[in-house]
Amino acid sequence: MSVGLSIMFTGLCALVSDGDGKPGQVLLLDTQGVGQVQGVTLPVHAPTLVVSLNELANPENSGPTRVVAGAPGAGGRVDQLGLWDLAGSEVRIRVQGGAGPGVRYFRPGRQDTSWPAPPRDPHDPAAWRDLRFVPDMTALAGDGRIDPSLLDDAAGGLPRAVAARVHLDGGRLEAAIPSQQSYRDDVFEFKRAGSAPGVRQAMTDTMHWRLQTDAAAVVIEIVPVAGGRPKQLLLGPSARPHRVFISNLPADNEPHAEAHGAALTDEQMIALHFGVYYALLRTEPADKPLPELWQAPRGTRGAGAIRPKFCSAAIFSRR
């Protein structure tokens, strides 16, 4: 029996990988380290790993930050969910027998994707696998190269804009269905300065990483960069993939407000959240298009119904 691992990434996550079979990283961003976006201080985000303790071969010594009850399953069983605070940590997926052959992107055939439009059935997870549903900084800024200093640890800790880092040495990445149902049939427009045409597309806040291996075990290792005892989550052979969730969403549930007291709309908060990505580029552009709701194609609602906890991921390149 093999070991399968499925990790969903949701929220302010920067994927840094060229998708060519080389290792990649997912940076969970520190909004306080990035600073203000258009004069607004964004809320603190909480990088968190979540997995059912029933998935682990070592639940008793895995060291979760806290444990909560999950939703009841089909048979009424309630799982205990372990939550690990990832702030200040690096996460490595260690496969017994060696590292993987590098990260690869899922590439759908021309007839197998609706991109840039939303899927015809927006609630079908398989229809969201095209990674182009995650905005690409090269398409938006012309140069999508990440600031190389963000890929290395600073003295005694992570770089200022990075709350946590996840290393991916193998597996396959694809987009995933948006975490919130109300965003699944929207089209966003990234407006450019002047008369230049903008970029319109449906977008998701979730990426899906999959790994299948014949190794005897897979270990998710959480290592505090500034020092401290690592935590290890041991995953053994299973008939189905182990499911893990890594999120970087606002840590509070209150409506966000601008520093001067003027309340921002949910749509404005979505745009400002995306604005942090431009500060990560090797060459910060003068034109920084932000996503605006262009239309809800199926007429389900207007712009005023957007909810705040939609922090899209973004894709960067190394070179």
Side-chain angles (χ1 to χ4, degrees):
M1 190 179 295
S2 62
V3 183
L5 178 57
S6 166
I7 300 181
M8 291 288 191
F9 293 93
T10 301
L12 278 182
C13 302
L15 167 60
V16 187
S17 173
D18 297 312
D20 56 2
K22 295 181 180 178
Q25 296 184 15
V26 176
L27 308 181
L28 281 63
L29 303 188
D30 177 0
T31 54
Q32 307 306 292
V34 172
Q36 292 189 332
V37 179
Q38 296 187 1
V40 176
T41 300
L42 296 178
V44 173
H45 285 52
T48 305
L49 184 150
V50 182
V51 64
S52 168
L53 296 183
N54 291 321
E55 300 278 353
L56 303 182
N58 64 333
E60 69 287 345
N61 57 15
S62 58
T65 307
R66 60 187 184 278
V67 177
V68 299
R77 170 181 165 180
V78 177
D79 279 354
Q80 289 187 327
L81 301 180
L83 283 71
W84 285 260
D85 179 5
L86 299 182
S89 298
E90 288 197 325
V91 178
R92 293 184 179 274
I93 292 94
R94 301 196 181 278
V95 179
Q96 291 188 358
V103 178
R104 301 196 178 275
Y105 288 174
F106 170 74
R107 304 287 189 185
R110 186 173 297 180
Q111 303 300 317
D112 300 324
T113 180
S114 62
W115 187 89
R120 286 171 286 280
D121 178 0
H123 307 300
D124 177 11
W128 285 93
R129 297 176 68 192
D130 190 336
L131 201 57
R132 291 177 296 178
F133 285 120
V134 179
D136 191 312
M137 299 306 293
T138 298
L140 298 176
D143 183 351
R145 293 177 298 168
I146 194 85
D147 179 347
S149 69
L150 298 175
L151 302 181
D152 298 316
D153 297 338
L158 294 167
R160 58 171 181 80
V162 179
R165 183 198 317 279
V166 182
H167 293 269
L168 301 176
D169 296 324
R172 186 175 68 184
L173 267 164
E174 57 192 45
I177 190 169
S179 63
Q180 299 292 332
Q181 180 175 337
S182 56
Y183 301 100
R184 295 175 186 171
D185 55 4
D186 285 343
V187 175
F188 289 87
E189 180 176 27
F190 292 83
K191 288 188 175 180
R192 301 188 185 279
S195 59
V199 176
R200 293 174 181 169
Q201 68 167 87
M203 67 181 190
T204 182
D205 63 342
T206 306
M207 298 181 294
H208 191 185
W209 179 80
R210 303 171 188 260
L211 177 71
Q212 192 72 37
T213 175
D214 292 330
V218 171
V219 175
I220 299 176
E221 189 173 52
I222 303 171
V223 182
V225 174
R229 183 178 178 181
K231 298 179 180 181
Q232 294 186 331
L233 284 61
L234 178 62
L235 305 170
S238 172
R240 59 173 181 78
H242 297 283
R243 296 187 301 168
V244 176
F245 301 88
I246 294 178
S247 66
N248 191 31
L249 294 169
D252 62 80
N253 292 315
E254 298 300 321
H256 307 313
E258 194 267 337
H260 300 293
L264 298 177
T265 67
D266 295 340
E267 185 178 354
Q268 287 171 325
M269 286 306 301
I270 289 176
L272 291 176
H273 273 79
F274 195 88
V276 304
Y277 291 120
Y278 291 102
L280 309 184
L281 292 168
R282 176 180 295 197
T283 304
E284 192 168 346
D287 185 17
K288 304 172 184 177
L290 300 178
E292 298 180 9
L293 186 65
W294 180 57
Q295 67 176 25
R298 293 158 179 81
T300 55
R301 69 180 195 283
I306 288 197
R307 289 156 43 182
K309 289 198 175 182
F310 186 81
C311 307
S312 172
I315 297 176
F316 294 77
S317 63
R318 290 177 180 270
R319 60 177 191 274

